[in-house]
Amino acid sequence: MEKKDYKNVFVFAEQREGVIQPVAFELLGKARDLADVLEEKVIAMFLGCGIKDKAQDLIEHGADEVIVVDTPELKDFLSEQYAQAVSQIVLDRKPHIVLYGATTIGRDLAPRLASRLKTGLTADCTKLEIQPVKDEEKEFCMTRPAFGGNLMATIVCPNNRPQMSTVRPGVMQKMERDASRKGVITEFAPKFDTSKFKVKVVETIKADKSVADISEAKILVSGGRGVHDKEGFDKLQALADVLGGQVASSRAMVDNGVMPHECQVGQTGKTVRPNLYMACGISGAIQHLAGMEESDFIIAINKDKFAPIFSVADLGIVGDLHKIVPMLTERIKKELEK
């Protein structure tokens, strides 16, 4: 294998029922940063059925080229069909780097492709960067939590191509849409081996999602062990309602059955990047910090002035959240009524 033959940063642009998922735009933003350092292009792989007219959206969010595979075989996500199509694109185009979202689809597809392409895969990355090495070479460094989040491991794939990683939704910053961006849309027709199609979709049953997606929220009021119980979260909900935000939770309160898993922030929950993150009664274990430390502004309320959460907070309040949160809610209400 000649490593010099592998060029450009590819992104698997995930869509569901024709709707491009937010993680695709986030990956394009990071791919744009990586490609600019490498002086290479950003190329999106966009697979599905009846999705060709959406390709321009990917160009407007940072892609230089979109490879579209629009075929009935890819109407629903099925591992074998998608793996065959993407592996053929990769073998034909020889990308330097390939990024996937660490979603249910990405976590299914990426390992299959790593095996078929005989290359490495770093999962659940929180940081991706290009580092200079000897003789003006550049190395792709992929950082992820390891050993239960107690340390961060930086992983490289020096001998195989492409270099691949999955990234959680909400970790990377997407580019602002630029309607003036121009790019190339290329259609690709894979040659499917239908004898290997062993699974088919019989029926799709959608879960009733009564809880909003916290990874999309601009304001989060999050509670930890110090909130104690459901009544404590009612106080946080009142504050979130006044602020126009949502309530989130640390793992401790999910494990205790107080909050649903959909509301969990952290390494084993969701990664969030709101404009405002209020951490109430959260000590700040490294596993939780990994899921929220990129928030624009962090306010921490905790009785323990030595709590680790204060190390990442922009504003810290030492005190009893059960007294402070209701007072804060009333004060904000009065200010908004003026």
Side-chain angles (χ1 to χ4, degrees):
M1 183 187 67
E2 290 289 340
K3 289 193 290 184
K4 62 181 177 60
D5 294 336
Y6 290 76
K7 298 289 184 184
N8 303 319
V9 181
F10 278 48
V11 169
F12 174 73
E14 184 178 323
Q15 58 80 25
R16 300 188 185 214
E17 298 183 341
V19 178
I20 301 174
Q21 298 301 291
V23 69
F25 299 128
E26 294 165 10
L27 293 178
L28 285 173
K30 173 48 66 173
R32 183 77 270 158
D33 294 340
L34 299 172
D36 289 345
V37 175
L38 294 167
E39 298 180 346
E40 296 179 353
K41 293 181 179 179
V42 174
I43 300 177
M45 297 181 289
F46 191 37
L47 287 71
C49 181
I51 46 93
K52 186 165 54 176
D53 60 332
K54 307 280 179 50
Q56 181 60 32
D57 288 351
L58 299 170
I59 291 172
E60 292 176 3
H61 280 90
D64 298 306
E65 180 184 354
V66 180
I67 299 173
V68 177
V69 184
D70 195 328
T71 178
E73 288 88 347
L74 303 178
K75 180 177 182 295
D76 299 301
F77 176 78
L78 290 166
S79 305
E80 180 61 30
Q81 283 86 320
Y82 269 71
Q84 284 191 28
V86 176
S87 62
Q88 289 179 41
I89 294 172
V90 172
L91 290 170
D92 180 64
R93 296 295 296 269
K94 291 183 168 59
H96 184 184
I97 295 168
V98 185
L99 307 180
Y100 307 83
T103 60
T104 51
I105 287 177
R107 285 172 169 159
D108 181 312
L109 181 63
R112 293 175 185 272
L113 290 166
S115 177
R116 294 183 187 206
L117 299 169
K118 295 180 172 59
T119 190
L121 172 69
T122 306
D124 281 356
C125 294
T126 56
K127 185 178 181 182
L128 302 172
E129 58 185 345
I130 305 297
Q131 292 282 6
V133 291
K134 63 180 181 179
D135 300 326
E136 297 184 359
E137 288 186 16
K138 295 172 181 175
E139 193 165 59
F140 181 43
C141 297
M142 301 165 276
T143 301
R144 71 177 305 273
F147 293 101
N150 291 307
L151 60 84
M152 304 300 284
T154 298
I155 298 168
V156 295
C157 183
N159 301 320
N160 297 74
R161 295 293 183 270
Q163 301 169 94
M164 306 205 305
S165 63
T166 63
V167 181
R168 280 189 179 194
V171 172
M172 303 302 173
Q173 193 81 40
K174 69 180 180 180
M175 287 176 55
E176 292 296 324
R177 178 190 292 273
D178 182 357
S180 66
R181 284 196 92 253
K182 305 295 182 185
V184 177
I185 298 174
T186 306
E187 293 192 47
F188 186 89
K191 297 177 181 178
F192 290 111
D193 180 356
T194 57
S195 68
K196 295 182 178 178
F197 293 177
K198 303 298 184 183
V199 177
K200 66 179 180 179
V201 176
V202 176
E203 183 182 7
T204 301
I205 301 173
K206 295 183 180 180
D208 181 20
K209 293 188 71 174
S210 58
V211 180
D213 187 353
I214 59 171
S215 64
E216 296 293 310
K218 298 299 182 185
I219 297 174
L220 282 175
V221 181
S222 191
R225 203 182 299 275
V227 180
H228 300 318
D229 49 29
K230 189 69 177 69
E231 287 69 29
F233 273 97
D234 289 342
K235 297 172 185 174
L236 269 55
Q237 185 65 62
L239 177 57
D241 290 343
V242 170
L243 294 171
Q246 294 172 218
V247 171
S249 171
S250 70
R251 177 174 176 171
M253 302 313 288
V254 173
D255 289 347
N256 289 346
V258 177
M259 294 292 286
H261 184 262
E262 291 83 357
C263 294
Q264 182 181 327
V265 174
Q267 187 184 345
T268 54
K270 292 188 177 181
T271 301
V272 298
R273 194 196 286 259
N275 299 132
L276 172 62
Y277 187 87
M278 295 191 69
C280 306
I282 295 174
S283 63
I286 190 169
Q287 292 90 340
H288 186 80
L289 298 183
M292 47 66 70
E293 60 186 347
E294 294 298 321
S295 304
D296 291 342
F297 196 85
I298 300 170
I299 299 175
I301 304 173
N302 201 295
K303 288 195 292 187
D304 179 8
K305 65 179 179 181
F306 299 109
I309 191 69
F310 289 124
S311 66
V312 298
D314 297 285
L315 176 64
I317 303 173
V318 179
D320 185 353
L321 72 91
H322 295 280
K323 295 178 181 177
I324 294 170
V325 168
M327 290 169 59
L328 191 57
T329 303
E330 289 304 313
R331 181 63 180 269
I332 293 172
K333 272 184 183 177
K334 289 178 180 177
E335 290 295 322
L336 292 174
E337 289 169 358
K338 287 183 180 180

